[in-house]
Amino acid sequence: MYTTSNYFVCSYFCLSLSSSQSVEEQEVERETTNTLLLLCVPLSLSLSPERKVPKPYRSGLNTHKASDKDLLISSCQMSSLSRELVFLILQFLDEEKFKDAVHKLEQESGFYFNMRHFEEMVTNGEWDEVEKYLSGFTKVDDNRYSMKIFFEIRKQKYLEALDKKDRAKAVDILVKDLKVFSAFNEDLFKEITQLLTLENFRDNEQLSKYGDTKSARGVMLAELKKLIEANPLFRDKLNFPTLRNSRLRTLINQSLNWQHQLCKNPKPNPDIKTLFIDHSCGQSQPNGARAPSPVTNALMGGLPKPAGFPPLGAHGPFQPAQGPLPTSLTGWMSNPAPVAHASASAGPIGFNSSNNAALLKRPRTPPSNSAAIDYQTADSEHVLKRSRPFGLSDDQVNNLPVNILPVGYTSQNHGQSSFSTDDLPKAVVMTLSQGSAVKSMDFHPLQQILLLVGTATGDVILWELGTREKLAQRNFKVWELKSCSMPLQASLANDYTASVNRVIWSPDGTLFGVAYSKHIIHLYAYHGGDNLQDKLEIEAHVGSVNDIAFCFPNKQLCIVTCGEDRLIKVWDANTGAKQYAFEGHEAAVYSVCPHYKENIQFIFSTATDGKIKAWLYDNVGSRVDYDAPGHSSTALAYSADGTRLFSCGTNKEGDSYIVEWNESEGAVKRTYIGLGKRSVGVVQFDTTKNRFLAAGDENMVKFWDMDSVNLLTTTDAEGGLQASPCVRFNKEGILLAVSTNDNGIKILANTDGIRLLRTVESRSFDSPKIGAGAMVKPPSMGTFGASNATVAANLVDRVAPMASMVALNGDNRNLPDVKPRITDESIDKSRAWKLIEINEPSQCRSLRLPDNISAMRVSRLIYTNSGVAILALAANAVHKLWKWQRNERNTSGKATASIAPQLWQPTSGILMTNDISDRNPEDAVPCFALSKNDSYVMSASGGKISLFNMMTFKTMTTFMPPPPAASFLAFHPQDNNIIAIGMEDSSIQIYNVRVDEVKTKLKGHHKRITGLAFSNVLNVLISSGADSQLCVWSTDGWEKQTSRQLQIPAGRAAAPLADTRVQFHQDQTHLIAVHETQIAIYEAPKLECLKQWVPREASGPITHATYSCDSQSIYVSFEDGSVGVLTATSLRLRCRINPASYLPANPSLRVYPLVIAAHPSEPTQFALGLTDGGVYILEPLESEGKWGTLPPENNAGPSTASVAANLDQPQR
């Protein structure tokens, strides 16, 4: 591609030589012309070998640059070690944020050309700084690449001055910067000068394609980068060497270590005050030893970037900050300094315990006059043996400081050939609906299928995965509001909501803790089944409580919390009394990680500014101060055996890091590759089996082998995951919970996980009542399950009674998704089963919503996405909105049959009424669609489409007057400005609201459109019509992919214009088609019919049907007023709700539901819109908690009159 310079420079240099020139002069000019013609060569062409500019013209370009030969000699004179020292200084300056000094040293040394810095300067038009920076690496006349680089920069500067009408500046650039090129051709300078005479230099034909300044700089920058990369003078200067963090500090600490080892009488408490002279332990020396006391190391106190941390046995990662020098990291845990002090970065701490030799566990050589010691450098992951010129006694060895004798350990082989990627849980076996975004998850430590979940709305839910039962749920509520601080009371008065930041089980599973975004934590006691008891409420921090964990200081169970107030606190788990408070972070504390080494307990904490600190339970202060990679908000986690430490986090720039720490150095041992950049959120991770890492990133789960930095494998869990989903393994690593975009959780399993779920599902049917404390052991899982299973078995005797993993209610429902491979084949299919019939009001909870507006039949009905309101559209084109209030009886504020809502209207008293044109609204086909944020609704009742504000009820706009009239509306899942509009004339219009334009019109149906559904996984739109046909349209190009005609059951006659509705399953692949004669399940995009259910004729035609919010049930309404509850995976009717259970007796009035809507977060709640204008909410009794039980596989039940097609698909 040619830049603007290519257009006019080519014409300037394609000139014939003057006949008056001598042969020698002509030869020189030809040489010069050939050189400058390089400015016109497209960059896609290869460049010929370098040709020097003729000497007569070199002085005109630049006379202050040494020759290439001189440069080579000068470069050789500086040793390679000196060059490497410059890189270490550059790293140090960069870590200390001395940005100007960094770039100055880059320029002056000429060792590293920082392309990113160069790009920033060019993009910002800092032309003087650009040339100044370049001058450290090349000059104009060094070679043809350099010449073109400088010409492009000066030409762009000249054109920008002309573009700004700054003639004076343009003249200055012309004279000072571009005149140098006149030595090659006087005409060139004249032509460039003539641009000054033009009102707009774009009038020059060669510059007519010049765009704006930003685009021109972008084009030029692309060419400059290619020229720099091709320029031999920049060879080996474009990549910074790979260095471990704080490498210079590491070397300085090693130097101090050796200086101390060489002291004639090395003492345990060196006082390093300066680096200007060598260290000596003599009392008279200015850099000697002193009496044991808290010290501030001059190097590390002033420069808070330590070199690294020595090992903590097999667990500890960090180097101490203060106190007497220990021989290993365990030293800073055994004998802390006696007084409180401010945190420093790497000062050593004393290690005087006589029993510490056992902790060191280092190899020892036989005593001799030349005892060998172990020394581990920052360059090696293995122990290097180095000779010491004098002997050391055992006591001397035990009392050597940590900076003097970092201890190495026998390498541990973490590789386990018995593992493969098949051991990773990647098969989706079920989906759970939460109702709000998942914030945290934790599996029970003993009962492998109990999953604890915390959500963005403050809900805490306990799931049993074997039966997919919600065992218990707690909404956010302050138990003792009056005892709370005034700031918390004021905060709750303004907004009585909070998000769950973390949920976590205690090690024995008898307790779990919840950290909220407002001040408090809750501790619950768990006694099995749904038996949860409130135990402790603690106002732990001011602001958000960001993390919570369990720990055992002094053999006592405690809770560790951290918060927005920059504090870490430790609480007695029995009484709630505060035990310790740690302060020293300068930003909100993001996470805590308690750990132990033998009998020594300690805590790591990380803050949002990327600082990592370590604490002992002594209120003395932080012992280490390190930076997380990229200064990211980071979480730390150990491998299951506690021998390897990992961290994962994201910084403010959106860069994410997942790393393993070198425990002997405090440096990053390996950085795993594969995390993407994100605009919001922090990437979350987990470890399993002492072998694998998993992180939620870029709408998928990414896996790594701990021993390899490269990405091992990924899974998108069949789509629908959050951008940075929460991920959590169960203890055995056979199940993995992952959060989804639609406020749900997908459970992934490997072969052993599937076997475990099958076992539990089978036992839940065969053993409906199991005594408390019974344990169902997981099946044999090979090498990785054996040890943990033993631990679990040993814990049973000393743990409080727990619920079995088996369901306590006898429910034997299948797993949620249509996955025949999960079906338990061991169920006794001959077992007797009875359909649940609900005939009396006392058998369920029902509520008719209050209504003082004229009643007309309800044509459309929907819950708001938040679940706190219901919107109905009546046949007279009037909308009605019912809202539930948050109060003590309804702390969640969500729709419920237990409390009546308010028929809401704005203070203006206006109604949301659709345009009806000249048409009788009762003859129209009403339709509406609600925006994702519940802020507006798009609706039509035979007239124009109206857009209403849901807060004010005002009509924001109307569009698309009939004919044809709209008959169905659906928002595009990724863009609320795009809506699909089904029309009465059988067409579908894809309409862009923002530009008020129909993008395309789809034709494939023969009668009006009655249903539309988008799949954001398959990128398709499914349409259905009164012609009983389904069509699939690609949302990429809007072309028709396939179509399918409904199979009308034999002996059933459908009405000529019977509606056909479609709705996608939560997996966005399966869908139900609802017709008055049947419910059918199809698989998109091929529209293969998997199952079909035909109701008994006595019930009358189907009027409507919908999935429950978790897609595990289908609610079906009939013309006889009854409602059926089907199991979605098998289309088995398990419960029938007869009209007498919710409608008052009135023989003279035939009332039945026309529409049915499912609550967005409560799977057992639905609403009915009736022919008399009434709206009812139905829920099962609290004692039941569900609508009936699943029939056996071979028992269709008395209500399933026929199954026209039951095409169970083979395993896919």
Side-chain angles (χ1 to χ4, degrees), residues 243-245 247 250 254 306-320 328-329 332 375-384 402 406-412 414 604 612 624 626-627 629 636-638 642-647 658-672 706 709:
L243 301 175
R244 296 182 179 180
N245 291 343
R247 178 62 181 150
T250 301
Q254 289 177 357
F309 40 78
L312 168 63
H315 305 283
F318 293 107
Q319 181 178 339
S328 77
L329 185 57
W332 64 256
Y375 186 88
Q376 184 164 356
T377 71
D379 293 324
S380 173
E381 297 175 8
H382 306 286
V383 175
L384 302 181
V402 65
V407 180
Y409 292 88
T410 304
S411 62
Q412 187 169 352
H414 296 281
F604 297 125
I612 301 174
V624 300
Y626 291 98
D627 286 323
L636 294 165
Y638 278 93
T643 62
R644 304 176 72 175
L645 179 68
F646 303 89
S647 72
I658 181 169
V659 303
E660 180 179 7
W661 291 90
N662 188 316
E663 296 183 8
S664 65
E665 297 175 19
V668 172
K669 180 177 181 180
R670 55 171 58 92
T671 299
Y672 297 91
M706 289 180 177
V709 298

Side-chain angles (χ1 to χ4, degrees), residues 440-710:
S440 178
M441 301 179 288
D442 197 24
F443 279 95
H444 194 281
L446 301 182
Q447 301 186 52
Q448 298 286 296
I449 57 169
L450 292 185
L451 178 63
L452 186 65
V453 182
T455 74
T457 57
D459 297 336
V460 179
I461 301 98
L462 179 61
W463 291 92
E464 181 175 329
L465 303 185
T467 55
R468 201 196 46 78
E469 279 294 318
K470 213 184 251 188
L471 294 181
Q473 178 169 346
R474 294 290 186 271
N475 305 118
F476 173 73
K477 181 181 179 181
V478 178
W479 300 343
E480 298 291 338
L481 185 59
K482 293 181 180 179
S483 62
C484 293
S485 66
M486 292 309 297
L488 177 55
Q489 292 189 41
S491 175
L492 294 173
N494 292 330
D495 181 15
Y496 197 88
T497 60
S499 170
V500 172
N501 284 335
R502 182 72 185 271
V503 293
I504 190 168
W505 288 100
S506 64
D508 62 7
T510 60
L511 303 171
F512 68 81
V514 185
Y516 290 99
S517 61
K518 287 187 178 176
H519 298 248
I520 66 170
I521 63 169
H522 281 160
L523 190 66
Y524 292 89
Y526 179 59
H527 301 293
D530 60 354
N531 189 352
L532 287 184
Q533 292 183 359
D534 301 347
K535 183 174 176 64
L536 288 176
E537 178 176 81
I538 302 173
E539 186 172 349
H541 295 272
V542 177
S544 174
V545 184
N546 292 332
D547 202 6
I548 183 172
F550 288 90
C551 59
F552 290 92
N554 306 318
K555 298 182 180 180
Q556 174 187 7
L557 183 63
C558 291
I559 310 162
V560 185
T561 62
C562 64
E564 197 174 8
D565 55 7
R566 307 178 182 182
L567 300 178
I568 300 104
K569 298 181 182 180
V570 181
W571 313 85
D572 187 306
N574 250 347
T575 64
K578 185 169 69 175
Q579 304 293 307
Y580 305 97
F582 305 127
E583 59 180 301
H585 277 291
E586 297 178 357
V589 186
Y590 178 74
S591 69
V592 287
C593 178
H595 202 57
Y596 65 95
K597 163 61 181 172
E598 296 185 0
N599 63 338
I600 301 171
Q601 303 283 336
F602 53 94
I603 304 169
F604 297 125
S605 61
T606 68
T608 55
D609 61 358
K611 288 292 184 183
I612 301 174
K613 295 180 182 290
W615 317 80
L616 291 177
Y617 296 90
D618 55 10
N619 285 325
V620 169
S622 168
R623 302 311 176 89
V624 300
D625 185 353
Y626 291 98
D627 286 323
H631 297 273
S632 55
S633 295
T634 295
L636 294 165
Y638 278 93
S639 56
D641 59 8
T643 62
R644 304 176 72 175
L645 179 68
F646 303 89
S647 72
C648 183
T650 303
N651 63 18
K652 295 177 181 178
E653 289 72 37
D655 297 314
S656 297
Y657 306 84
I658 181 169
V659 303
E660 180 179 7
W661 291 90
N662 188 316
E663 296 183 8
S664 65
E665 297 175 19
V668 172
K669 180 177 181 180
R670 55 171 58 92
T671 299
Y672 297 91
I673 301 169
L675 290 178
K677 194 176 181 77
R678 61 194 27 78
S679 56
V680 294
V682 177
V683 67
Q684 299 192 33
F685 86 126
D686 201 5
T687 71
T688 185
K689 300 181 183 176
N690 300 317
R691 182 60 185 273
F692 298 114
L693 300 170
D697 184 47
E698 294 180 313
N699 305 99
M700 65 180 73
V701 182
K702 298 180 178 180
F703 299 92
W704 291 265
D705 185 306
M706 289 180 177
D707 296 323
S708 173
V709 298
N710 296 316

Side-chain angles (χ1 to χ4, degrees), residues 125-128 154 156-178 196 217:
E126 300 168 2
W127 305 120
D128 292 340
R154 295 175 183 182
Q156 181 64 28
K157 182 166 60 168
Y158 177 66
L159 294 179
E160 288 185 13
L162 290 175
D163 209 21
K164 295 177 181 177
K165 311 300 182 185
D166 190 344
R167 304 285 170 158
K169 185 176 181 181
V171 169
D172 186 62
I173 296 170
L174 185 68
V175 173
K176 293 182 179 180
D177 296 329
L178 290 173
L196 290 167
R217 287 177 182 175

